[in-house]
Amino acid sequence: MMYRNAKLIKTLLCLLAFLLVTKANFAQSTSKSYDICVYGGTSAGVIAAYTAAKLGKSVLLIEPGKNLGGMSSGGLGLTDIGNKYAISGLALDFYRRIGSHYGRFEQWVFEPHVAENLFNDYVKRGHVPVLFQNRITGVVKKGNKIVSIRLDNPNKKQITAVNAKVFIDCSYEGDLMARAGVSYTVGREANAEYGETFNGVQLMNGHQLPQGIDPYKIKGDPSSGLLWGIGKGTLKETGSGDKKVQAYNFRICLTNNPKNRIPITKPDNYKPERYELLIRQMEKRTWKSLQDVFIWSGMPNQKTDINNRNGFSTDMIGMNWDYPEADYSKRAEIWKAHTDYTKGLLFFVGTDPRVPEHIREEIAQWGYPKDEYQDHGNWSHQLYIREARRMKGELVMTQHHCQGRETVTDGVCMAAYTMDSHNCDRIVVNGEVRNEGNVEEGGFGPYPISYRAIVPKEKEVSNLIVPVCLSATHIAYGSIRMEPVFMVLAQSAATAAAQAINQKVAVQQINVAKLQQQLKADPLVDGSRPEIVIDNSNPDGVTLKGKWNSQKHGGYGPDFLVASENTDQPQTIKYHLAQQTKGKYEVFTYYPKSAKTATESKITIFDGQQEKQLSIKDSEVKVLGQTSGEWVSLGTYSFSGKPAFVEIAASGTATVADAILLVPRE
């Protein structure tokens, strides 16, 4: 008996040892449950998670990498705005916090680490748990409902299952969406599919190479092979569809501050032959400064946001087509190739003797900032994934929505940027090198994005919202795909998710009118008084005297007004404050800056008790970033609910009048 007990104990000890070894050699597994799970710690992901937490929901934010903020903290400091009218809620709060950091009301240009610190602060203030370095590997569904997602942490060899009532995919790639069985597309639709004109194959002049560049390694000798960076394809019919994806790049942050500068040195896998097209471009077009090859935009504290310009630059054209559908290993290869190419380009420009000496001397003043991306070798943590998968949801946004020929009534965000696509291919056309795919078509005002464009078809998934890889054609997505717009859509998504949970309905069945009202009434998700905007186009809040001409571009919202020239009549525009306007507010006027703006504008403010006379000097209004105007403070006032107004009077020609903004001040 004792022998058998000893043998049993020995067997159990061996089994225990085996289990311990097994645990050491195989991934650990854990399980977590939440109301809302947000996948992707992009700018949208942070805002979605913060919103969900402020609405009282348990939430988990999952980020496959190590940093929050996506492109907004990854070098895209020159924010693509389009029109500030389109930006609201927490997205606007973010840019106001950026402004506060730099001593301004709001600011749209910034350093990467400033943005990342703010995103970290959002999750801290919202008490949002963040699971870093976890990537989705699977989805468990029951019918049309996601039950859980499976995550893998390759560094800790840990597998995690996350259960949630609603999931929000805020990744740039749409990985959760795809694994959940949602319909999507990659590439460019043919124009004929949705009756568009700027989709599909497009050979235009934007960001184009000069004519006459020989494509072969040995000029005039096709047998020598094509230069690096030129595809073997042929030009297809204009407007035809394909699976090609617009080029990715890095938005490069450099500094010319010697105390903060790390020299640009020879990178991994440096191959100078990759940049032969740059030399041939230079042979056809004189290279006068760095601005001829790069969009070299200045950021605060002697830093840059460098973007692609002209025919050969930072865009790695045609090298990213596999990325959207690739596995994690292949994506890492593509990402590394973009890093090597971009660092190699900077090194080439600074060292190759064929580059003009004055250009080499110019770039020698720049280097990688010591205080940026300190956990990432002073190089951006985010490749600019301009476009990957795009959902085919309840409604597809198209060129017609951008240009106002179709309008939705269930809008939960505004977009306002040009329909923009970077080049998708570089090929030989009639014996010379041409870039194909660049489109830059604007000329339209802000337009609403449908709620139906961020939810999949209910029969596919009933508890998923997709505010980043949303339902839009390639060319419409080119207008929508801006960081501030993603943030607004993310707030809408999280608010809708909370509503779906509260009502126990599918995300497709929520009350969109109620959602719209909630977003308007509580834009900061904290119960604070919302801002008040009185736009010049509001007939109930504005009284005009004299002749004012409408200008469609460069103002806040759809238009702004300019006082007519050569008139003897008094010209005024009076913005009436509603009687329910009570409390202390800082008052701003939006000042569209143009070459013909009057040197000084006269303004009267009546707070219900007394008048105050002010003036704005055109020379003192400094516009910063991709915008044509700024909010100018007129001071802080206490309103009692009695009739009050702000009046702008024409003083000479070209006096401008646009929106009035009241920001609550305690």
Side-chain angles (χ1 to χ4, degrees):
M1 183 73 174
M2 290 180 61
Y3 172 77
R4 273 190 281 180
N5 287 340
K7 188 175 181 179
L8 178 62
I9 292 171
K10 184 177 181 180
T11 301
L12 291 173
L13 288 173
C14 289
L15 179 61
L16 178 61
F18 171 78
L19 291 174
L20 290 173
V21 171
T22 300
K23 184 177 181 180
N25 291 334
F26 293 89
Q28 298 178 358
S29 179
T30 59
S31 180
K32 304 174 184 292
S33 296
Y34 299 88
D35 290 326
I36 298 172
C37 173
V38 180
Y39 184 76
T42 59
S43 60
V46 172
I47 294 301
Y50 176 81
T51 301
K54 295 294 286 183
L55 291 172
K57 302 303 178 188
S58 61
V59 59
L60 176 67
L61 176 59
I62 301 164
E63 166 50 37
K66 298 186 294 183
N67 305 86
L68 296 179
M71 280 309 304
S72 286
S73 63
L76 206 171
L78 187 69
T79 307
D80 297 310
I81 307 168
N83 192 313
K84 293 178 183 179
Y85 177 83
I87 313 306
S88 59
L90 292 170
L92 188 55
D93 178 69
F94 171 77
Y95 295 103
R96 297 274 173 83
R97 290 175 184 271
I98 290 282
S100 178
H101 175 85
Y102 291 110
R104 291 168 60 93
F105 172 54
E106 63 187 27
Q107 186 157 311
W108 306 77
V109 297
F110 47 85
E111 300 159 271
H113 77 273
V114 172
E116 185 169 2
N117 288 342
L118 278 177
F119 287 121
N120 288 333
D121 184 60
Y122 274 107
V123 298
K124 180 180 179 181
R125 287 186 289 113
H127 305 288
V128 175
V130 183
L131 198 59
F132 286 104
Q133 294 184 279
N134 274 263
R135 57 198 190 188
I136 188 168
T137 58
V139 171
V140 177
K141 290 174 66 179
K142 185 175 181 180
N144 68 343
K145 187 175 182 179
I146 301 173
V147 176
S148 66
I149 62 173
R150 185 180 176 90
L151 305 169
D152 168 53
N153 185 324
N155 298 314
K156 294 183 178 180
K157 299 187 184 309
Q158 185 178 42
I159 295 172
T160 302
V162 176
N163 306 297
K165 296 173 183 176
V166 176
F167 293 82
I168 304 176
D169 188 346
C170 288
S171 68
Y172 291 125
E173 297 85 359
D175 285 340
L176 194 164
M177 170 190 75
R179 284 173 169 79
V182 173
S183 299
Y184 64 87
T185 189
V186 174
R188 302 180 286 185
E189 296 90 351
N191 272 329
E193 186 170 349
Y194 292 96
E196 297 173 306
T197 56
F198 296 116
N199 212 333
V201 173
Q202 299 287 339
L203 186 63
M204 295 187 177
N205 294 324
H207 297 287
Q208 186 58 270
L209 289 155
Q211 291 185 336
I213 293 181
D214 190 292
Y216 304 112
K217 293 178 181 178
I218 300 175
K219 291 181 180 180
D221 182 6
S223 66
S224 65
L226 295 169
L227 291 175
W228 185 92
I230 303 174
K232 296 180 180 179
T234 58
L235 182 64
K236 304 299 181 183
E237 181 182 357
T238 298
S240 58
D242 56 31
K243 296 300 180 183
K244 297 174 184 177
V245 179
Q246 64 173 306
Y248 300 164
N249 72 343
F250 283 98
R251 299 292 287 256
I252 309 166
C253 182
L254 300 180
T255 181
N256 63 356
N257 179 354
K259 295 181 180 180
N260 194 33
R261 184 176 63 199
I262 300 170
I264 297 170
T265 55
K266 187 177 180 179
D268 295 342
N269 306 311
Y270 177 65
K271 296 179 180 180
E273 61 269 23
R274 291 175 176 167
Y275 312 104
E276 179 63 29
L277 268 178
L278 180 59
I279 298 300
R280 295 194 186 181
Q281 175 177 268
M282 183 184 67
E283 292 171 353
K284 297 289 184 180
R285 182 188 295 144
T286 303
W287 195 351
K288 298 178 182 178
S289 75
L290 289 171
Q291 291 284 5
D292 291 327
V293 172
F294 307 93
I295 298 178
W296 201 283
S297 302
M299 293 294 109
N301 295 316
Q302 297 177 253
K303 294 177 185 172
T304 65
D305 170 2
I306 301 171
N307 197 10
N308 182 84
R309 169 169 277 158
N310 291 330
F312 190 96
S313 185
T314 61
D315 277 0
M316 203 170 171
I317 300 171
M319 307 292 182
N320 62 330
W321 298 346
D322 293 336
Y323 183 89
E325 299 277 44
D327 60 23
Y328 293 120
S329 177
K330 179 64 176 177
R331 282 185 184 170
E333 290 180 16
I334 295 171
W335 196 300
K336 183 64 164 62
H338 279 72
T339 302
D340 293 344
Y341 166 79
T342 311
K343 288 185 173 182
L345 175 62
L346 297 174
F347 182 73
F348 179 87
V349 172
T351 61
D352 194 280
R354 294 172 295 174
V355 174
E357 184 178 1
H358 69 278
I359 298 294
R360 284 181 277 140
E361 291 176 351
E362 188 179 1
I363 202 170
Q365 305 304 310
W366 297 88
Y368 304 116
K370 294 178 182 178
D371 62 346
E372 297 293 352
Y373 314 122
Q374 293 180 333
D375 61 347
H376 210 262
N378 305 102
W379 182 254
S380 176
H381 54 76
Q382 181 63 60
L383 179 64
Y384 196 172
I385 311 299
R386 288 190 171 93
E387 187 175 348
R389 299 181 178 104
R390 301 188 311 280
M391 180 171 65
K392 289 185 175 180
E394 292 274 314
L395 177 140
V396 179
M397 297 292 295
T398 70
Q399 175 183 332
H400 308 299
H401 295 102
C402 299
Q403 295 180 321
R405 289 191 295 272
E406 293 183 18
T407 304
V408 301
T409 58
D410 62 340
V412 290
C413 175
M414 301 292 286
Y417 202 75
T418 295
M419 291 182 291
D420 179 82
S421 173
H422 282 234
N423 280 300
C424 301
D425 202 359
R426 180 181 285 139
I427 54 179
V428 179
V429 180
N430 298 326
E432 60 184 26
V433 190
R434 307 302 285 165
N435 293 337
E436 182 276 309
N438 186 85
V439 179
E440 297 168 80
E441 292 291 336
F444 47 84
Y447 60 91
I449 301 172
S450 169
Y451 176 71
R452 289 166 290 165
I454 66 172
V455 293
K457 297 179 178 69
E458 187 174 352
K459 65 181 180 181
E460 293 179 344
V461 181
S462 63
N463 63 333
L464 172 67
I465 309 179
V466 186
V468 176
C469 293
L470 73 158
S471 182
T473 64
H474 159 72
I475 200 59
Y477 192 79
S479 170
I480 295 169
R481 62 171 183 84
M482 304 302 152
E483 289 287 294
V485 173
F486 285 155
M487 285 191 258
V488 177
L489 286 171
Q491 181 175 350
S492 300
T495 308
Q499 190 180 122
I501 292 170
N502 293 342
Q503 298 176 359
K504 297 181 180 180
V505 297
V507 295
Q508 294 83 359
Q509 300 300 323
I510 67 154
N511 186 328
V512 178
K514 181 180 177 181
L515 171 62
Q516 293 169 325
Q517 178 57 34
Q518 185 173 352
L519 294 169
K520 182 179 180 181
D522 192 10
L524 301 183
V525 207
D526 60 1
S528 61
R529 287 182 294 157
E531 298 176 353
I532 299 171
V533 175
I534 309 171
D535 191 57
N536 63 277
S537 59
N538 180 358
D540 296 328
V542 177
T543 301
L544 294 176
K545 286 186 179 180
K547 187 175 181 181
W548 294 79
N549 299 316
S550 176
Q551 299 290 325
K552 297 295 183 184
H553 304 292
Y556 179 83
D559 61 2
F560 68 99
L561 299 175
V562 180
S564 177
E565 300 180 12
N566 302 321
T567 178
D568 295 329
Q569 296 180 345
Q571 294 171 273
T572 62
I573 176 169
K574 183 178 289 187
Y575 301 86
H576 301 278
L577 277 60
Q579 290 189 356
Q580 60 266 34
T581 303
K582 296 182 180 180
K584 184 180 291 186
Y585 290 88
E586 185 172 2
V587 181
F588 295 81
T589 182
Y590 195 78
Y591 191 89
K593 188 94 166 179
S594 68
K596 295 182 179 180
T597 306
T599 57
E600 190 172 14
S601 299
K602 302 293 185 181
I603 298 177
T604 301
I605 297 180
F606 178 63
D607 63 5
Q609 301 291 334
Q610 58 185 357
E611 288 188 359
K612 184 176 181 180
Q613 308 293 327
L614 299 168
S615 66
I616 298 174
K617 294 183 178 180
D618 181 76
S619 61
E620 295 178 354
V621 179
K622 306 299 181 184
V623 177
L624 188 62
Q626 285 194 14
T627 179
S628 56
E630 295 287 353
W631 290 110
V632 177
S633 178
L634 303 177
T636 300
Y637 304 85
S638 293
F639 298 98
S640 62
K642 294 181 179 179
F645 62 83
V646 177
E647 183 180 77
I648 298 176
S651 54
T653 60
T655 297
V656 294
D658 204 341
I660 297 296
L661 170 69
L662 280 70
V663 179
R665 301 298 189 207
E666 297 301 330

